[in-house]
Structure formats: structure tokens, C-alpha cells
Amino acid sequence: MKHFLLAASLTLSAPAAMACETVTIGDLTVEHAWSKATIGAGRPGVFYVEITNTGSTDDALVGIATPAAGMPMLHETVVQDGIASMPHAMSIPVPAGQSVQLSPGGYHGMLMGLTTALKEGDSFSVTLTFEKAGEVTVNVDVLSLRAEGPDCADAGQ
Amino acid sequence: MLGVGAYRTRNRPALSEVLPLPIGEMSWALTDHRDQSVRPTDWAGHPVMVFFGFTWCPDVCPTTLSDISLWLEDLGADANRLIVALISVDPERDTPAVLADYVSSFDPRIIGLTGPADEVAKAAADFRVTYRRVDKDGGDYTMDHTAGVFLFHPDGRFASIIDFHEDRRFAVPKIRRTLS
Ligand SMILES: [Cu+2]
């Protein structure tokens, strides 16, 4: 049974398929969830996603959880005076009527304490917790370390 | 103090304190991802593109390497004489073997450099680069570091910096100007 489940989850992880899924919760649309392959399990993975708030109330992403990592956190890459750092982001605003991207060089989920190395073609789930909308779970595609984002038909919109 | 700090704390720093040294005046000795020793003199006569980073970080460094790979693709064979190097600011974790694994995901012209902490510090000082260890909960640490990409002419003179997030339309011509 365990084997069967594993096989099923691998079959479902066709590249760029899940990243192009759209999940909604209340007024929020969550899509383009992806990650990058890692060198081993000792280095953190990364989580990127796009969130659109179609409602009239501001919301905020306040946390992420995943079976793939023991200590997932929200970070923001900041470049100040030419120096890059990535402080912890307590919450990521998702203002009414706007889209927010967790994307390379900006906000990102930092997946520390990976349970296993992330390999291109794998997928895993991440549960996002919003201040108002509550929790929603998305499937995340692992792309190559070099990837700049999932290749969805509607990408770049 | 390294370059950027000096820039902020003094009123009028001499240009020589802010700009990277010419390659020929640098003094570091590092090891590449194939375990070969590399010295600044090895780069004489070549245009050079260098940036500092570390493989532990899944965001800034892969993003910079992806950008550089795209620039190199745009430049094609014209960039074959260009030396492109990532210098690790985290030599404790970035061994040549780790760097080899890492750079294998990107354009094959990119080399990884690491070495003893004091040689990395020397390189950073020569390039006027700042880096700093930031400890995290649970014993892990990350590194803050200068994120720009440095360009040098074939005679070793500093040419320009490509800032993090700089538009590709400006980056590729900047590189091209160092190639002739
Ligand atoms: Cu981070």
C-alpha cells in the first residue's frame, strides 16, 4: 500500500503540471507553486508561489508548513547598499485587489531541515496560513536549480 | 574595513578605496571546483566576470547564476574567453566538491572558487566586497554579502558592476564592452 501511494504520487508529479494548478480559498487565489532542486538535504530548499486577493479585505500570509521540511520559514531577500541579506518575514501582506509573488530575489519560503534532498521532477505539499482566509494546501513542483519559474500556458500574465 | 563600509563611514573615500583593484594587483590564491589552484595572474589577458555568493542560500545565488547563464547564452561563443567565477564567502561549507555539484546546474563556463578563510578575505578585500556571517536558530548560519557582478577588461582594469536585479538589456551590453 505504501508502495502504491509512493508510485501514485510520483506519477502525479509530471513536470510543470502542479505548479500550474490554481487553488482558491475565500477571495484568495494561489498558483504557480514551485521549488528548486537542492544539493543534498543539508541545505535549505526554497518555495515560490503567487497569491492574488480578489476581495476587498487585506489579508496576509503568516506562515507555511510542509512535510518536506522541519523548519519552514518566510524570508525576504533585501539588497541594501549592494549587500544582500534575507531577514525573516513575520508576515507577507496580500492587499485587497492585488497580487503578491514569492519569487527569486524577493519574498520566499525557506525550507530548512529538509527531510530529503529535493530532486527535479519531485513534488511535495505546502500549507499556507493566511491571517484571515485560513489555511490552504498547494502542490509544489521541484524544478531545476537553474529554473526561473514554472512554464505554464498562462505564465507572464 | 572593506569597501562598502568605508564608503559609508567616511565623507570622501578615495576612488581606489571603493573600486575593485585591477586583477593584476590582486593577491589571493584560491582553488576552483576541479581542485585546481587559481591566482589572479592566471586571468591575465582575459575579460573577467566575478561575483561572490554561497551555495547554502537557495534564493540569491541560484538567481544570479541563472541570470549569468542566460547572459552567457545570449553572448554565445563571443563569451568563450570570458572568465566567469563565483567566489564563495562560505568556504567552511563550500568545498570544491560542493561547488562542482552546484555549478554543474548552470552554464559550463562558470567556475566556483573557494579556499582558506584568509584567502577568501583577501579576495573580498581586493574586490571591495563585504560579507558577514549571520547565525540562525538551531546552529545554522547564513551570509550577508555584496550581491553585484564585477566586470574587468582583458588588461585587468575594473570595468563596471551589474547590480542584482539589473535588467538584462543593460547587463549583456556591459559584458560585451569588456570582450574586445
Ligand atoms: Cu531565505
Side-chain angles (χ1 to χ4, degrees), chain B residues 63-76:
Chain B
T63 303
T64 303
L65 279 161
S66 298
D67 287 346
I68 288 176
S69 297
L70 288 172
W71 301 339
L72 292 175
E73 230 167 70
D74 268 17
L75 292 162

Side-chain angles (χ1 to χ4, degrees), chain B residues 103-167:
Chain B
V103 297
S104 71
S105 297
F106 301 95
D107 190 286
R109 288 169 283 191
I110 302 171
I111 65 166
L113 293 176
T114 187
D118 57 334
E119 291 297 330
V120 168
K122 233 190 255 177
D126 287 346
F127 284 92
R128 315 305 190 202
V129 155
T130 304
Y131 64 102
R132 186 170 67 93
R133 177 179 164 140
V134 181
D135 288 299
K136 298 257 176 206
D137 299 341
D140 250 334
Y141 65 92
T142 181
M143 304 292 298
D144 291 356
H145 62 89
T146 302
V149 176
F150 298 90
L151 290 168
F152 296 84
H153 295 287
D155 63 5
R157 271 178 309 128
F158 169 68
S160 55
I161 293 178
I162 302 170
D163 289 323
F164 190 62
H165 285 321
E166 187 163 330
D167 197 299

Side-chain angles (χ1 to χ4, degrees), chain A residues 36 39 42-46 48 71 75 77 79 81-86 103-106 108 110 112 145-146 148, chain B residues 8 55-56 58-60 62-63 66-67 69-70 73 93-94 98 101-102 105-106 136 142 144-147 164-165:
Chain A
K36 288 177 188 175
I39 300 172
R43 277 149 214 275
V46 75
Y48 299 121
M71 202 171 69
H75 278 182
T77 293
V79 181
D81 297 328
I83 297 170
S85 60
M86 24 176 219
S103 62
H108 56 275
M110 187 90 162
M112 289 185 284
L145 187 56
R146 192 184 160 170
E148 304 210 315
Chain B
R8 263 191 307 212
T55 71
W56 186 86
D59 188 57
V60 174
T63 303
S66 298
D67 287 346
S69 297
L70 288 172
E73 230 167 70
R93 292 184 292 204
D94 288 340
V98 167
D101 202 343
Y102 196 71
S105 297
F106 301 95
K136 298 257 176 206
T142 181
D144 291 356
H145 62 89
T146 302
F164 190 62
H165 285 321

Side-chain angles (χ1 to χ4, degrees), chain A residues 55-73:
Chain A
S56 54
T57 315
D58 294 345
D59 207 334
L61 175 63
V62 293
I64 51 171
T66 173
M71 202 171 69
M73 289 175 86

